[in-house]
Amino acid sequence: MKFLVTSGRKKGFTFKVTAAAVRIGRSKDNEIVLDDESISGHHAKIFAEGGQVLVEDCDSINGIEVNGKVVKKSLLQKSDVITIGLTQITAVGPDESAADEDQSASLADKPASDEDRSAAESPGDDAPKMPEADPEDAADVIEDEELPEKAEKKPAVPQGGFRKRAVLQKIVAAVLVVAVIALAWFVLKRKTRAPREIAAPPASKFAEGIFRLRYEKVKASAENIFRYEMKIENDLLAVTIDDLKQERKVRRDKALDPARIAELRDAILDQQIFTLPSKIEGKSQNVWDSLTVSVVARGQAHTVHALNRIPPDNFKKVCKEIEDFVDAETGTASVSLSPDELKKRAQDAFQRGRELYDKRTVNAENLFNSIKAYSEAIWLLDSLEPKPSTYKDALQGKATAAEELDQQLEDHKFRATRAKQLKEWKKEYDELYMILQKLPDKDDKRHKDARIRLLEVEKHLQSK
């Protein structure tokens, strides 16, 4: 059966399922690797059994869906849609054979069509599955490549129309040959030309209020490749961290408060980054250690690249300001810890979350702090594959605590509203105050709403 990825990062990718199972997940040993944080290392598999094709969940955390329904194992039919994380895979249907044996025999004396050549040259089921090219594009390429051969083999026909077409084909072939030679000459000239340094965009190109930032740190050696990149544009933060040795990938995206962006911008500009040279390079064998900062601010643009050399102190301070900012916003400092240390810290956070939940009636904030502790354990383990059992336990603990807190807050809000209708101002005050105690997060909308209402109630109490 043939499948097509209809949404997600591999949209347009096609593959076939025959005898061997096709495994899907984030780990590199899968046949189909999906770079999606909502997908487990070995998430699902599609396989043939008894002449039928099935999909099965491989004990993933977020599960799979077929036609919008969560399943553990399901038979697949044509047009069925499999949902795995942010990726959707559609069953296109059984493979269609080009022709039967009798038809092939009857057509043996005829020239092979473009479609026949494509089928003959296509790899077998055991070949690596690659995205399929557009059949029309493939036909165009084959036809262009074989034009000279066709022109020579085509028998001469006395009719003028066929003779003109043969001449035309020869002319086209000659033009193609000349074009290829000209292109090769142009590429050769480009390669032999001295490299030209690309200057930063002129300051006048950028408006005064625009701020863009890109920071990249790469450490590569024979043992490992580590890459850390962050970007800020249009008040959005995007972070990417790859650690080849520990097989960890971290992706974070977050909308930022413009005030926080302004703080980072000012901290960077305070270090006089625009006065630094564009390149700070040294020499080192078998090591690649680079830092790159590109910034657009106050109408100016500048890039500083340090490679295999200790940079100036003010540049090091710029890099530290950026990493501290990203850690505060996304909590990605965990990537610098070893897997054993991550597991230990996550276990401590999970245990703290469980203890706070058990004591949730002792202190009003305990349930909220329990959720925070569980969340800490989750992001500490988020970059590990395979994930330990603590990760799943923390997810369950957080969900249970969050559901209970939501219910308590709804009960307090209901009783406060009823007290307001009865003009029982003291009772309304007590219920609203409990919302503030149980939800100390001032950025949460429920906390803000309760505080506004509390100020109104205080006016009624003072008027008595």
Side-chain angles (χ1 to χ4, degrees), residues 25-201:
R26 289 172 61 185
S27 295
K28 296 179 181 178
D29 58 349
N30 291 289
E31 281 71 29
I32 298 180
V33 180
L34 298 177
D35 187 9
D36 179 353
E37 290 183 1
S38 62
I39 293 178
S40 300
H42 298 91
H43 198 107
K45 65 178 180 179
I46 304 176
F47 60 98
E49 185 178 88
Q52 297 177 322
V53 178
L54 302 93
V55 62
E56 183 176 4
D57 179 25
C58 298
D59 295 325
S60 65
I61 291 177
N62 294 325
I64 63 173
E65 296 179 5
V66 174
N67 299 327
K69 182 179 179 181
V70 178
V71 298
K72 176 63 180 175
K73 186 176 182 180
S74 175
L75 178 66
L76 295 177
Q77 303 290 343
K78 183 177 179 180
S79 301
D80 283 349
V81 179
I82 308 167
T83 302
I84 302 176
L86 301 177
T87 299
Q88 287 190 332
I89 302 172
T90 300
V92 179
D95 297 332
E96 298 180 2
S97 59
D100 57 26
E101 294 180 359
D102 294 336
Q103 290 173 326
S104 298
S106 64
L107 298 175
D109 296 331
K110 294 184 180 181
S113 67
D114 293 340
E115 195 172 23
D116 296 333
R117 278 196 297 271
S118 300
E121 294 174 0
S122 61
D125 291 335
D126 295 332
K129 304 298 184 294
M130 299 294 291
E132 296 185 359
D134 190 328
E136 295 182 1
D137 295 341
D140 291 340
V141 173
I142 294 172
E143 187 176 5
D144 289 344
E145 290 178 350
E146 298 185 0
L147 273 175
E149 184 180 350
K150 287 182 180 178
E152 293 174 3
K153 290 184 178 180
K154 192 139 184 151
V157 181
Q159 286 80 359
F162 289 102
R163 185 179 298 107
K164 288 180 181 179
R165 186 165 61 181
V167 173
L168 180 61
Q169 288 179 339
K170 290 182 179 181
I171 294 174
V172 172
V175 171
L176 287 176
V177 170
V178 173
V180 170
I181 295 174
L183 179 61
W185 177 85
F186 176 76
V187 172
L188 181 61
K189 292 290 288 182
R190 293 281 295 180
K191 287 186 176 180
T192 56
R193 187 179 301 171
R196 181 177 61 186
E197 184 175 344
I198 300 175

Side-chain angles (χ1 to χ4, degrees), residues 248 334 337-351 376-377 380-391:
R248 286 188 288 175
S334 62
L337 302 175
S338 68
D340 290 340
E341 184 65 20
L342 285 173
K343 292 176 183 178
K344 181 180 181 302
R345 293 193 182 188
Q347 183 61 40
D348 292 341
F350 172 76
Q351 191 61 37
E376 180 182 351
L380 280 168
L381 298 175
D382 185 60
S383 61
L384 292 183
E385 288 293 348
K387 290 179 172 55
S389 59
T390 306
Y391 183 81

